[in-house]
Amino acid sequence: MTPLEGLDALVAAFASSDEDAYFACLHPDATFVLPGSPRFGSREEYRAAWRQWVAEDGFRVLACTSTDQQLQWVGETALLTHHVTTTVATHAGEATTQERETVVLSRDGDRWLVVHEHLSPSGDTP
């Protein structure tokens, strides 16, 4: 698996709202900076918030696409940036966002796992 394949697996799992597949793409010590959320200091901290969003808000991902993928190597670490368009549903309805994301991946055997994700609004309108 290449880092770009790791990113594609992450996006596909997220797009299908497959909690187990999505969180399997994340290193246990990964950190997350997401709009409207506190910084999450581990995969399990983020997963607990995800489950709360599902239980309380009816959160589910309806679609997610990745474009403009750029890969940069920093030693043995893969730094990826891309543009994501995501549609989610909650009890309040559906919403589509356009964001820029930085994803840092590290090799774990033959896989690449996310060690950091940072999402920021792109300013584009869907």
Side-chain angles (χ1 to χ4, degrees):
M1 171 184 280
T2 68
L4 285 171
E5 290 169 331
L7 178 65
D8 289 343
L10 175 78
V11 171
F14 186 77
S16 66
S17 211
D18 185 336
E19 177 186 338
D20 290 335
Y22 176 64
F23 283 92
C25 295
L26 310 176
H27 188 278
D29 296 325
T31 56
F32 307 88
V33 178
L34 310 173
S37 297
R39 180 186 179 276
F40 298 116
S42 71
R43 177 181 66 196
E44 291 312 309
E45 192 176 310
Y46 177 23
R47 191 172 201 161
W50 175 288
R51 288 178 173 167
Q52 183 176 357
W53 300 334
V54 170
E56 294 178 5
D57 303 325
F59 173 81
R60 70 185 186 286
V61 182
L62 301 176
C64 183
T65 58
S66 169
T67 58
D68 193 25
Q69 297 175 345
Q70 302 291 319
L71 171 63
Q72 175 185 349
W73 288 100
V74 181
E76 295 294 314
T77 302
L79 178 75
L80 289 149
T81 57
H82 65 140
H83 184 259
V84 289
T85 301
T86 304
T87 302
V88 300
T90 64
H91 297 312
E94 293 182 13
T96 299
T97 58
Q98 295 215 6
E99 298 166 303
R100 294 293 300 169
E101 182 176 41
T102 301
V103 181
V104 181
L105 295 105
S106 178
R107 184 184 296 279
D108 182 43
D110 63 346
R111 298 182 59 211
W112 286 87
L113 294 180
V114 173
V115 295
H116 182 73
E117 269 190 272
H118 187 137
L119 274 167
S120 300
S122 70
D124 297 336
T125 55

